[in-house]
Amino acid sequence: MTPLVEFRSVAKAFGNEKVFEEISFTIVEGESHALLGPSGCGKSTVLRLLAGLDQPNAGKILIEGKLVSDDAKCLVAPHERQLAMVFQDLALWPDLTALENVMLGMAQLKLARSGRRAKALSSLATCGIENLASRKPREASVGQQQRIALARALAGRPKLLLLDEPFSGLDAVIKRKLFQEIETHCVNFGITLLLVTHDSWEATGLCSHAVVIEDGHVAEHGRLCDVLRQPASIILRSFVSQWPSSLMRS
Ligand SMILES: Nc1ncnc2c1ncn2[C@@H]1O[C@H](COP(=O)(O)OP(=O)(O)OP(=O)(O)O)[C@@H](O)[C@H]1O
Ligand SMILES: [Mg+2]
């Protein structure tokens, strides 16, 4: 089966500073992956490379078997990669309302304006913030802004949803509700998830698989319930000490 995502020996440096030298992993369609590792190991960089917002120095990135980046060459533009991303800093347009922000995320759906509006409202409702449709981001709390960014990403019906620590401002009750909505949305619309998080509860609550980056390479990769049996990385060892294995998703 062709993987949805494949990183083949991807290297990335900023100037003389190497982030990683050899990152390789695959994601099969429908498998939700947590991307884990210490701060600064390159998790956001992996998402930006996959989204086409940065280019690797070497290596290949494939989406659905199609080469999208080859060494430093971008072969498929970001807007043609059929993915959506919630950035760590959210990247909302400050002068647009929540509804307008979400509608911008749907440009590629080629719907009439009324259809886009209805779908954008429905996406805001999925994230529990339809009442904020006419507010600008600065008129919303940080947690509400995170949900606007999530609504924008979901509304575009991507094949691949990249989430960069999108839940850090939310309380456990809202997170639980959002997890259910995201899971339903992913199943209904065939969306595959790649979630960056430092939080064991988020990773195990939303993801079936994990990729762990440590010291510039993939330290562990597999089903969470498998890698958590004998964790080799610092981060997964810390998860095991926090959570009983009976709570892990199979
Ligand atoms: N545009 C940039 N220019 C120079 N260095 C950068 C740039 N973006 C990231 N870096 C560096 O690359 C490394 C990886 O950054 P990245 O943001 O991917 O880490 P991360 O794993 O997402 O960290 P965190 O968990 O803190 O968000 C860091 O050392 C960072 O300083
Ligand atoms: Mg980051």
Side-chain angles (χ1 to χ4, degrees), residues 33-53:
H33 277 64
L35 181 55
L36 308 165
S39 183
C41 72
K43 302 179 295 298
S44 298
T45 302
V46 165
L47 295 198
R48 291 181 60 82
L49 294 175
L50 183 51
L53 303 173

Side-chain angles (χ1 to χ4, degrees), residues 14 17 19 38-45 88 165 198:
F14 292 102
E17 194 187 328
V19 183
S39 183
C41 72
K43 302 179 295 298
S44 298
T45 302
Q88 205 164 357
E165 302 193 43
H198 291 276

Side-chain angles (χ1 to χ4, degrees), residues 102 106 109 119-127 150-159 161 177-193 206:
V102 175
M106 304 165 64
L109 293 184
K119 282 205 164 28
L121 283 169
S122 146
S123 193
L124 286 168
T126 295
C127 296
L150 193 56
R152 180 175 65 182
L154 289 173
R157 299 276 162 79
K159 260 193 170 317
L161 179 61
K177 187 172 174 302
L178 263 185
F179 284 10
Q180 282 165 358
E181 298 288 0
I182 291 171
E183 201 161 26
T184 307
H185 213 83
C186 286
V187 170
N188 288 350
F189 296 108
I191 299 170
T192 300
L193 184 69
L206 208 46

